[in-house]
Each structure stands twice: as C-alpha cells, then as structure tokens.
Amino acid sequence: MWDDAFPSFLIGLREGLEAGLIVSILVATLVRAGAGKRLPQVWTGVLAAIGLALSFGAVLTFTAASLSATAQEAFGGTLSVIAVAFVTAMVFWMRRSARNLSGEIKEKVTGALAMGSGVLVVTSFLAVGREGLETALFLWTTAQAAGESAGPLTGAGIGLVLAAGLCWGLYRRVLRINLTKFFTRTGAVLIVIAAGVLGYGLRDLQEGGVLPGGTAYAFDLGGSIDAGSWYSTLLQGVLNITPTMTWLQVAGYAAYLAVVMTLFTRGVRTPAPKPSAARPEPTTAVARPAPTATTARPEPTAAAAGSQPADGRSEAGEKSGRGVRRRPGWVVPVAVVAVPAVAAGLVVALARPKPDSGQTVAVSETECGKGFSAPKAGRQTFQMQNTGSKTSEVYLIDPGSNAVYGEIEGLAPGTTRSLVATVAGGTYAWRCVPTGGKAVTSRPVTVSGHGSGAKAVVPVSENDLAGPLKAYKAYVGQGLATLVAQTRALDADIAGGHLDRARGDWLTAHLTYSSLGAAYGTFEDFDQKINGRADGLPGGVADQDFAGFHRIEYGLWHGQSAERLKAPAQALADAAAGLQKAFPTQDFDPGDLPLRAHEILENTLQFELTADTDEGSGTNLATADANLAGTRELLTVLRPLLTTRAPKLLPAVDADIARLQGLLDAEHRGTVWTPVEKLDTGTRQRISGATGQLLEDLAPVPDLLEIRKSA
C-alpha cells in the first residue's frame, strides 16, 4: 500500500539520487580527463557497494529471525534508533554538500587517477557504499514497522528507478533540477518520517524489556478510532503515529522533531556563500563530456611506471621473450561483488542457532523423556521420537506449575517431529499423553542461565471449564425459552395472515437465535432445521429440505402467501421447542467452549458480511450484531481464565469489540438496517476489517484454554 511505500520511496529517491550524482560526476570527470578506459573500475566499485548493501540487509533479516520474540523487539528497536541517527546525519550532510558535491568528487577522482586502478575502485565503492548501507538499514526498519509488507520494497524500488532516471537526465543535460531546494525539502519530510521511526523503535525497546514504561500510555484511542480507516492507515504507515502510544514514544517523537527540525530550518535560513566561478550551478549535476579530447589522454599508471605496451606486457616481459598473461576483465568485478555475499553467508552460518546437542527425546508410556538432558539456555530444537505403540501428545512443561512451553499433537508411532522452544534458566520436563492412556511425566532437568524463554501457558482442565460451561448453558437455556415464545408468535402471525407483523417478529426471533452462538454444530441437527441455508441443496430456495428462519425470510420478502408459509412456520416453532427440550441432555464438550469465542465471528465474516445468507430481508448486519452479542457473552464467562493467562489480550479484544459495535450501530435506525450490499465500499471494508482484527486477537483463546492432561 502507498502509505507503507511512501517513506521507503522517499529514502530510495534521495539515497539513489545522492549515489547516482556521485557516480555521474565520477564518470563525467574520467571522460573529460580522457580516462574513459578506467570506467570499468568505477562500475566495479559501484557493484561492490550494491553487493555489500544487499548482504547487510540479508544479515539483518536472518539475525532478527533467529532471535526470540522479546529479543527481536529489542534488536529491531535498536536498529530503528541507529537508522534514525544515520538518516539525520545524511539529511544534514546533503544540505551542506549539495552545492560543492561536484568539486569534492572531482578532487577525489584526480587523486585516484594519480595513484592507480585500485584507488579508483575504492573511491567509487566508498562513495556509493555509505548510501547503500543507509538505505538497507532504513528499509529494514520501515519494513519491520509495516509488518514486513511488500509496500516498503515497492516504494524503495520505484524511488531508486526514478533516481536513476533523474541522474541520467542530469548527466545528459536533459533535466535541470535545483538540487539544493530538492534536498532541503525532502530532508524536512524525512525528518518527520524519522521521528515516527524513532517512536516505533522506542516502543520496540519497551516491548523488548530494554526501556521502561511499556504500559504507561499517553493516550489509547483504540476504542474510538477505526484502525482500518484510511486516515488511521495513512498516519500509521507514513508517520508511525498509532491509536495507542506510550509517554516515552510521544516524548521521543516530539523532542526529536522539535530539536532536529529547528536545527535543520535554521541552517537552511543561513545564507550560503556564493559559489565560485569554477563551481557548477546547483541546478546541474555534472558537466556533459566534451565531444572531442584536445589534450593527451595519459594513463596515470604509465606516468609512474614508464610506458606500457598496448597488449598489456611489461618491458621486462618483452626482453625475456615471455609475455605476462593478462587477467580476464571479469575477475575483479566478480570478486568484489562476491566478497560481501560470501562474508554475509559466513556470518549467517556462524551465527545460526544450533540445538544444544541435537537431542532425540523418546515419547511413549514407558520411555517418556528418555534422552533428555539439560540443554543450554537459548533456542533449542528437540527431535521427538514416538517409540511407543500409540499416537501421543507431548508437552514441554514446567513440572512445578504444569505450564506448557511447547507441544506436539498427534505424534504417530515410529515417527519423529521437531519441537522448537527457547529455554531460559529454570526446570523443565516432558509430559507424554498416549491416546487412551495415562499421562506420563519425565524426570525434570534444570537449565542454568538467564534471559527470556518461551512464554509458558498454564493449562486448563475440564474442572476449570466446568464453571464457565455451566454459566453459558444457563444463558443458552434462558435464550431458548425466549426463542420458543418468539417462534410461536411468528407462527401465529403467519397462520392469521398478518405478514407485516410476521416480518418484525421474524427478525426478533432470528436475532435471539443468532445471539446463542450456534456455530459448527453446537445444537446438533436442530441447527439445520432452525437456521439452515439453501446453499448446497439441489433445488436451492425451492428445495423441500430448505427450512427454518431463512426459508421463512425468503417467503416473507418474496411475496409468498401466508398459506405457503404456514408449514415452514409450524416446523420452525416445533424445532425450537424440540431444541429447548433436548439441550439440557446434549453432549457439550467443555473444550469446545473456547472455540465458540472464535468460531461465531468466523461464521459472521463468512456468511453475514458477504450477504451469503440474505434471503431478502437485508438484515445481515443485524445478525452480525447478534453474533457479536453471543461472542461477548462467551468472553464474559471465560474472562477469569483468560485474565490470569493473557492479561494483555482482553483489553485489546474489548477495544476491538467496541470498534466493531460502533460501526454496526451506525448502520441501523430502529429496526431498519442497511443491507450489506448497499454499504459503500469504505464502510463495508471497515466493518470487515474490524471483524477480521477481532478474529485475529481472539485466535489465541482456543490455545490458551485448551484442555491438556496433567496426570
């Protein structure tokens, strides 16, 4: 997206233009000096600099991926602060140097020509390498801030291509650009962007435990601002201003912006000395090479070592009769480009985290944990081998609290799978749970060391979920009693021919049912009878098996007579009464309760927000609202268990619910709801986006509250 791409576009354009101007001046100076044969040396240095920048980016990416989650935050935050420092220095340097850049580069080239070919390679390498490293570092940090989307890379690519085109135009004198004004104005914009990167980096350092104040929020507008709106996305993507920011973020952002922007603008207002006649105008990047050379074209190496034959052989070689074999022209470019890549590969290979001992750990009723010895602290990979005769689950646990650090489900007999976990100082053991068998716990081992390990999840038992399940069943039982009365009223409306009244009573009853969380077969076969869809039926809406609320909805909003709707209405009332009677004895697995918190809204996103279940009433958003109410009730009964296991999860979920609720409330007046298909594109995207965000934040709930055998 453009909001993610713009900061990288600007850095790509500026850094690319800086590097391109330097290369253009190098090339023009060599051509004017009659040393055009030395151009391959310039391009060799440029290619080496590009190779170094790409290798640096690869090392950063690998290093971050190899760290634990907390260490990744600290690493990313540190690099963000360093990137801000580099960008700030670059902005001030180019503001000062834009007028005199050409003269400085020409002086370096003249010196390089006098000293030999290697110096010219180094000159071009150093001139371009700095820009490349700055670009790689800044792009990496902006990609991290954007969630590693393709936006930053796309923006940078466009910026670099545009910079190359501008440099070519300046070299050929096709374009005239006031470089001083260009670098001044883009520098001011980059300072604002860098302030956002600094704020993002400070937040990463807080989440990584390096800086304090991670929960001291200056403001939290998550419940009142739509995170998916265009303005919110723009502010987050370009300026890294988020709906929730800590005091440290705000202070760092404001202080950097105030100090650096003041110094920058003060320097701009200071009159610059008039350039001498020998210096080029700031609107010109380089002088176009003269069409003919009127002076001799000396070879700098010949001045120092005597004349050299055109075939590349020395005088000593001529006298001895043995020519010196010329080195192929491709050797040096390939070598200087390959060196950074090889160096990066060595860094990656040496830094790659390795398992402590490549431990293979047995999983079975009799050998649980065999082969397990105390590993070193850090990221470890354990090879879990099922040596028993039953499929098993295996957990890496804290034997004191039964908290789970890692798990593998469904490990079949005779198979081996990897379990990766980051361990810190503490006590660890394995728990093997064969299918249909008794859980077995291995002997504990103690790991010495410090640092942050994998976050443990305290398991729940059926007994832990017994209370929430009882409360939820009571809620559903009360709702079913209401549903029975409402479906009977709907049946009576249709039997009496009062179809206008039936439409209102239909919506009331349907919303009651939707609020009970009927997801993925919660009510067994009754759900198909009460709320079945026409999708998949051979006859569609005309199929004889099409029944329940949506069958009646189709008839009421498609002009069917009361006589045709009597049978479906009677069948719906009977099914509701049957469900009320059967529900107390239905088998409800306690482990399914946490799933409902996620699955209800999955159905909402799949069916309601796509209008797939709209049979004419246009009330899909009303159904989504009822589904949200059902999700809220589930979270209410599960809240005590979630609070102790993930204290930061519920505030985020509550904010998501409030955001989605506000969007839904805005789309109805009384009993009249905006049909999904009549929503404008922006509103529809915001509602779907808010639902998706809520689903994402609810995703950990089933894992957090999964029932695991502890004995």
Side-chain angles (χ1 to χ4, degrees), residues 39-63:
L39 288 179
Q41 298 166 14
V42 173
W43 298 122
T44 297
V46 170
L47 289 175
I50 294 173
L52 177 65
L54 294 176
S55 301
F56 180 55
V59 170
L60 290 179
T61 301
F62 173 81
T63 302

Side-chain angles (χ1 to χ4, degrees), residues 174-458:
V174 176
L175 298 175
R176 292 183 64 83
I177 299 175
N178 190 316
L179 296 176
T180 301
K181 289 184 178 180
F182 172 83
F183 285 115
T184 298
R185 291 171 182 173
T186 56
V189 177
L190 268 181
I191 289 172
V192 177
I193 292 173
V197 174
L198 177 62
Y200 171 81
L202 293 175
R203 180 57 180 164
D204 270 359
L205 290 173
Q206 288 180 313
E207 292 180 349
V210 177
L211 295 177
T215 58
Y217 295 108
F219 54 85
D220 185 356
L221 305 177
S224 55
I225 292 180
D226 178 16
S229 63
W230 67 268
Y231 54 86
S232 180
T233 304
L234 184 65
L235 288 174
Q236 292 182 64
V238 177
L239 305 180
N240 272 303
I241 297 177
T242 60
T244 303
M245 296 183 72
T246 64
W247 282 109
L248 181 61
Q249 281 183 279
V250 173
Y253 190 104
Y256 174 88
L257 196 59
V259 173
V260 177
M261 189 65 80
T262 299
L263 293 175
F264 184 78
T265 54
R266 184 178 297 173
V268 170
R269 291 169 185 163
T270 302
K274 292 183 179 181
S276 64
R279 290 178 179 170
E281 292 296 322
T283 55
T284 307
V286 295
R288 189 172 183 177
T292 59
T294 58
T295 60
R297 303 173 64 171
E299 289 288 340
T301 55
S307 61
Q308 177 147 337
D311 63 359
R313 292 181 294 171
S314 66
E315 291 183 9
E318 291 285 350
K319 292 177 180 179
S320 64
R322 284 171 31 180
V324 179
R325 178 178 295 180
R326 296 187 62 185
R327 182 175 56 212
W330 55 266
V331 171
V332 174
V334 170
V336 297
V337 173
V339 166
V342 172
L346 289 175
V347 171
V348 169
L350 293 174
R352 181 181 296 276
K354 298 177 178 63
D356 177 48
S357 60
Q359 294 186 27
T360 298
V361 181
V363 178
S364 75
E365 292 179 279
T366 58
E367 295 184 323
C368 183
K370 183 179 179 180
F372 181 45
S373 59
K376 294 180 180 179
R379 187 181 176 91
Q380 303 294 332
T381 300
F382 302 98
Q383 302 299 327
M384 310 308 299
Q385 184 178 43
N386 190 339
T387 59
S389 59
K390 296 180 180 179
T391 298
S392 296
E393 296 179 0
V394 59
Y395 308 108
L396 178 63
I397 66 168
D398 176 350
S401 64
N402 288 320
V404 177
Y405 293 97
E407 64 182 304
I408 293 178
E409 297 181 349
L411 183 62
T415 61
T416 302
R417 284 161 59 185
S418 298
L419 188 151
V420 180
T422 302
V423 299
T427 304
Y428 298 84
W430 293 102
R431 176 160 293 146
C432 307
V433 188
T435 301
K438 185 178 180 181
V440 180
T441 303
S442 73
R443 64 177 181 82
V445 301
T446 301
V447 176
S448 59
H450 302 284
S452 57
K455 187 175 181 180
V457 176
V458 179

Side-chain angles (χ1 to χ4, degrees), residues 665-682:
D665 288 344
E667 297 306 321
H668 74 97
R669 301 292 183 272
T671 59
V672 179
W673 290 77
T674 305
V676 169
E677 293 177 336
K678 291 188 178 181
L679 293 171
D680 63 80
T681 302

Side-chain angles (χ1 to χ4, degrees), residues 648-663:
K648 294 182 180 180
L649 184 145
L650 286 173
V653 168
D654 290 340
D656 293 340
I657 290 176
R659 183 182 303 117
L660 178 56
Q661 188 68 67
L663 292 170

Side-chain angles (χ1 to χ4, degrees), residues 459-476:
V460 299
S461 63
E462 290 190 14
N463 188 54
D464 293 326
L465 286 171
L469 181 57
K470 182 178 179 182
Y472 187 66
K473 278 189 170 183
Y475 164 76
V476 173

